[in-house]
Amino acid sequence: MAEFPIKACFFDFDGTLGDTYNGIRSSWQQVLSERGLSCPDFDKRFRVGPPAEKMAGILFPEMSAGELMDLATAYKQCYDSSELLEEKPYPWSRDILELCRASGKKIYVVTYKRFKSTLKLIERYGFSEYFSGVFCADVIPGQTMPKKDLLKLAVQVSGVPAARGVMIGDTELDILAGHEAGVHTVAVSWGYAGMDILKKASPEFIASNYDEFISIFKSFC
């Protein structure tokens, strides 16, 4: 896979380490209901992965930029203040993190989620011990940093050359960010994008289950 062994693993969160679909969907629907907004094609348009501002535009392309920002802000507040009881870690997530740690790799989270909800879930899952750092979209207050920039920042902070890092995620946004940052890329298809979309992003590897991921991981060492 690489000329030198991988030294740092950068994980997306939603759809990669945590199955958060139901909780995110519920918060969007709650906000739309509270605002009296109707989106008949909600289930066709909705997906987990894009930042809230982009998701608002997918649901309501006719809205102005100001209206979309207001809707996205309302969603963030709703989601971050919820109990997040519907979100569950994938059964194999701890095993993957344990394997990364046992092999001496630095481990980071790079996600469009905000710090409040991300840290709440990491603590609830008992994953805090694994991560050297967590990079969220609101790392700069009042802004939503693009994932490619978040990943570049994470790579810089890790102190590991980009060529010795790998981005692991379930959407094309994760893989494209990996390409932009110069790290290696592994797509996992157990998340929310689907195999066809992932292939178009041209990841170096695609893992459809835990065993396939472990086989790929062995090539990192």
Side-chain angles (χ1 to χ4, degrees):
M1 175 180 175
E3 184 178 354
F4 300 104
I6 293 298
K7 293 297 184 182
C9 297
F10 304 93
F11 284 90
D12 170 56
F13 196 88
D14 295 325
T16 302
L17 295 174
D19 184 1
T20 57
Y21 182 93
N22 289 335
I24 293 173
R25 181 180 183 276
S26 294
S27 289
W28 272 110
Q29 289 193 315
Q30 180 179 333
V31 168
L32 299 191
S33 176
E34 290 173 350
R35 295 187 165 220
L37 295 172
S38 175
C39 181
D41 296 330
F42 180 88
D43 285 322
K44 291 182 179 179
R45 298 185 184 188
F46 174 74
R47 61 174 297 196
V48 174
E53 293 81 2
K54 185 173 182 179
M55 190 65 249
I58 293 172
L59 294 176
F60 298 98
E62 72 281 3
M63 282 188 175
S64 68
E67 289 173 324
L68 293 176
M69 183 64 69
D70 181 60
L71 181 59
T73 299
Y75 158 74
K76 293 174 186 179
Q77 292 173 345
C78 178
Y79 183 78
D80 289 346
S81 63
S82 69
E83 292 299 319
L84 306 178
L85 297 179
E86 297 182 81
E87 287 81 351
K88 307 293 182 184
Y90 288 105
W92 47 83
S93 293
R94 181 179 296 277
D95 291 339
I96 287 175
L97 294 174
E98 186 63 41
L99 183 63
C100 290
R101 182 173 68 173
S103 66
K105 305 193 189 321
K106 295 181 178 180
I107 311 171
Y108 299 87
V109 169
V110 181
T111 177
Y112 274 134
K113 298 178 89 65
R114 274 78 52 212
F115 276 111
K116 183 176 181 179
S117 55
T118 303
L119 297 180
K120 185 186 297 185
L121 289 175
I122 287 174
E123 182 177 352
R124 178 179 296 166
Y125 296 170
F127 288 173
S128 300
E129 62 183 298
Y130 296 109
F131 300 123
S132 297
V134 177
F135 294 82
C136 297
D138 59 346
V139 65
I140 300 177
Q143 298 184 29
T144 298
M145 184 178 285
K147 181 157 280 189
K148 64 183 179 65
D149 293 337
L150 274 175
L151 180 54
K152 288 177 182 178
L153 177 61
V155 172
Q156 180 181 0
V157 171
S158 75
V160 172
R164 301 186 74 175
V166 59
M167 179 67 198
I168 302 157
D170 72 305
T171 74
E172 75 282 7
L173 300 174
D174 302 313
I175 304 308
L176 295 175
H179 294 330
E180 287 274 354
V183 301
H184 298 279
T185 53
V186 176
V188 296
S189 65
W190 56 69
Y192 307 132
M195 188 67 78
D196 290 342
I197 293 176
L198 289 174
K199 287 181 177 179
K200 288 180 181 178
S202 300
E204 291 180 62
F205 295 97
I206 299 180
S208 59
N209 55 52
Y210 173 73
D211 289 336
E212 288 184 6
F213 182 87
I214 296 306
S215 178
I216 292 168
F217 183 84
K218 290 179 179 178
S219 69
F220 297 171
C221 301

